[in-house]
Amino acid sequence: HAAEAQRTDLMTITRHALNEQGRHPESRGDFTILLSHIVLGCKFVASAVNKAGLAKLIGLAGETNIQGEEQKKLDVLSNEVFVKALVSSGRTCVLVSEENEEAIFVDGPLRGKYCVCFDPLDGSSNIDCGVSIGTIFGIYMIKDKDNATLEDVLQPGTNMIAAGYCMYGSSCTLVLSTGNGVNGFTLDPSLGEFILTHPNIKIPSKGKIYSVNEGNARNWDAPTAKFVEKCKFPQDGSSPKSLRYIGSMVADVHRTLLYGGIFLYPADKKSLNGKLRVLYEVFPMSFLMEQAGGQSFTGKQRALELVPTEIHQRSPIFLGSYGDVEEIKSLYASESSTG
Ligand code: P6P
């Protein structure tokens, strides 16, 4: 009977959000409405990504269709769907997208109190070879409800109220935190619902995997080079770590969250701030890591304490198991103390 009850007691992401909302008596359900529109965008992208492989046959995104019309690339299409879904939710006031040079300000009757920073389809260069890709998002509350400005999204990550990602792979998994732990939901295509499959995710305190693009090794600074050397040739008699690098942040971070270990995108001599973007890659993934008991470091400070000055700013990032990030933090600390 317990198994039967379990099967029929469907904990959808919306129901889960409503339960969470119960923790905020003052809440009027705005966040739940915002989340349902983010979920709509994820369902659309999941469907389009799954068909992308058939693009040449049915002329989907990125190809010319049977009328010979140039179809939009999947990341552009996904961005349009997310922007329209977020604006039509009536709960947003400022949007920052990886695909839009300028921030989008929502005015008039559709303006709400949330600011959403998102990458609609991160890692989209991997679509053609079938590697998992994803949507990443982070959510701030507007500072002054009558006056939305860029300052509302140039806040430290510690001010984010929620963050998450949706990974489009062998299954479609949405991982979300609203500041009370991390939960994973898997899309059941037959229901069109995201069902709770990974309640209260906690990252192992130490891992056996390091994840970095070794091709950039000649450009790394000394602490990063030393850390990676220790992963490969440990001096304490422990076994070397395994290298796993997919090159799609959502996939690399999802594996790190579930299996433990560390994901690194360091600064290097070519790009002093690394490659990943603060508002819609570094902050959301750092928020999730901390909520799951891990941590996230920029090489100089706790990642969430960074105060961005422009919306597409980049930062180096070292995130994952608490113990593994501690090791690289101590290497940076000793470098700065010896100068
Ligand atoms: P590299 C994908 O292009 C992306 O933005 C992230 O998803 C991924 O982690 C990173 O870039 C990979 O970059 O330089 O290793 O190819």
Side-chain angles (χ1 to χ4, degrees):
H1 291 307
E4 182 53 33
Q6 170 76 30
R7 236 192 322 276
T8 54
D9 185 19
L10 297 173
M11 180 52 79
T12 64
I13 192 166
T14 307
R15 186 178 149 197
H16 195 270
L18 285 170
N19 292 352
E20 286 287 291
Q21 177 190 319
R23 292 189 316 114
H24 305 281
E26 77 290 348
S27 161
R28 289 178 307 134
D30 289 325
F31 181 80
T32 303
I33 290 168
L34 172 67
L35 181 64
S36 67
H37 285 77
I38 292 173
V39 164
L40 173 68
C42 293
K43 289 177 186 175
F44 171 88
V45 174
S47 164
V49 164
N50 286 345
K51 291 182 199 129
L54 297 169
K56 292 195 189 329
L57 293 181
I58 56 177
L60 259 183
E63 305 291 330
T64 50
N65 66 12
I66 43 178
Q67 287 83 17
E69 295 147 358
E70 175 62 31
Q71 292 299 300
K72 292 187 173 73
K73 281 178 67 63
L74 215 42
D75 45 6
V76 174
L77 193 70
S78 304
N79 186 53
E80 286 181 11
V81 167
F82 273 107
V83 169
K84 287 174 182 159
L86 290 167
V87 170
S88 63
S89 75
R91 297 312 186 273
T92 63
C93 51
V94 187
L95 303 179
V96 170
S97 167
E98 193 266 350
E99 294 285 339
N100 295 72
E101 192 53 39
E102 305 300 329
I104 297 168
F105 290 88
V106 182
D107 286 322
L110 281 176
R111 210 179 82 162
K113 61 185 180 183
Y114 293 108
C115 308
V116 185
C117 305
F118 63 102
D119 187 345
L121 205 54
D122 182 81
S124 53
S125 57
N126 292 295
I127 290 181
D128 294 344
C129 64
V131 163
S132 298
I133 52 182
T135 299
I136 312 171
F137 59 90
I139 301 169
Y140 292 110
M141 190 80 85
I142 190 170
K143 287 178 165 176
D144 165 4
K145 68 178 176 51
D146 299 322
N147 176 26
T149 70
L150 266 192
E151 292 312 305
D152 291 308
V153 287
L154 295 177
Q155 301 190 52
T158 46
N159 289 358
M160 279 196 172
I161 59 136
Y165 60 79
C166 188
M167 185 173 77
Y168 310 105
S170 52
S171 65
C172 178
T173 304
L174 199 157
V175 173
L176 173 71
S177 175
T178 56
N180 182 36
V182 180
N183 293 289
F185 303 84
T186 303
L187 181 63
D188 177 338
S190 64
L191 294 176
E193 288 284 358
F194 280 97
I195 306 295
L196 180 66
T197 48
H198 297 70
N200 194 25
I201 300 174
K202 290 296 174 197
I203 183 171
S205 58
K206 260 182 89 56
K208 300 185 176 64
I209 296 170
Y210 75 104
S211 184
V212 68
N213 182 341
E214 289 260 13
N216 297 330
R218 66 174 174 180
N219 298 320
W220 291 338
D221 61 19
T224 291
K226 270 189 204 130
F227 176 78
V228 173
E229 186 69 10
K230 281 177 71 174
C231 290
K232 297 197 274 195
F233 304 99
Q235 301 302 309
D236 60 2
S238 60
S239 315
K241 290 188 190 293
S242 293
L243 170 59
R244 294 284 183 274
Y245 192 70
I246 303 168
S248 178
M249 186 185 198
V250 171
D252 278 317
V253 169
H254 189 60
R255 183 210 51 249
T256 304
L257 186 65
L258 296 187
Y259 293 176
I262 185 167
F263 170 79
L264 309 85
Y265 207 106
D268 63 37
K269 294 179 191 112
K270 282 182 311 169
S271 23
L272 292 180
N273 283 327
K275 174 181 184 181
L276 300 179
R277 310 283 186 170
V278 172
L279 285 183
Y280 41 80
E281 289 175 319
V282 171
F283 277 172
M285 297 313 203
S286 301
F287 185 101
L288 290 168
M289 278 299 157
E290 291 199 0
Q291 285 291 319
Q295 62 173 324
S296 182
F297 178 62
T298 65
K300 294 191 174 79
Q301 65 186 113
R302 176 187 173 208
L304 287 179
E305 288 177 355
L306 191 65
V307 181
T309 53
E310 53 173 31
I311 61 173
H312 297 295
Q313 180 174 331
R314 302 170 194 264
S315 169
I317 186 72
F318 307 90
L319 61 77
S321 293
Y322 197 89
D324 293 320
V325 178
E326 275 302 286
E327 280 185 34
I328 197 151
K329 279 168 69 176
S330 58
L331 287 167
Y332 272 96
S334 54
E335 189 216 40
S336 57
S337 61
T338 54

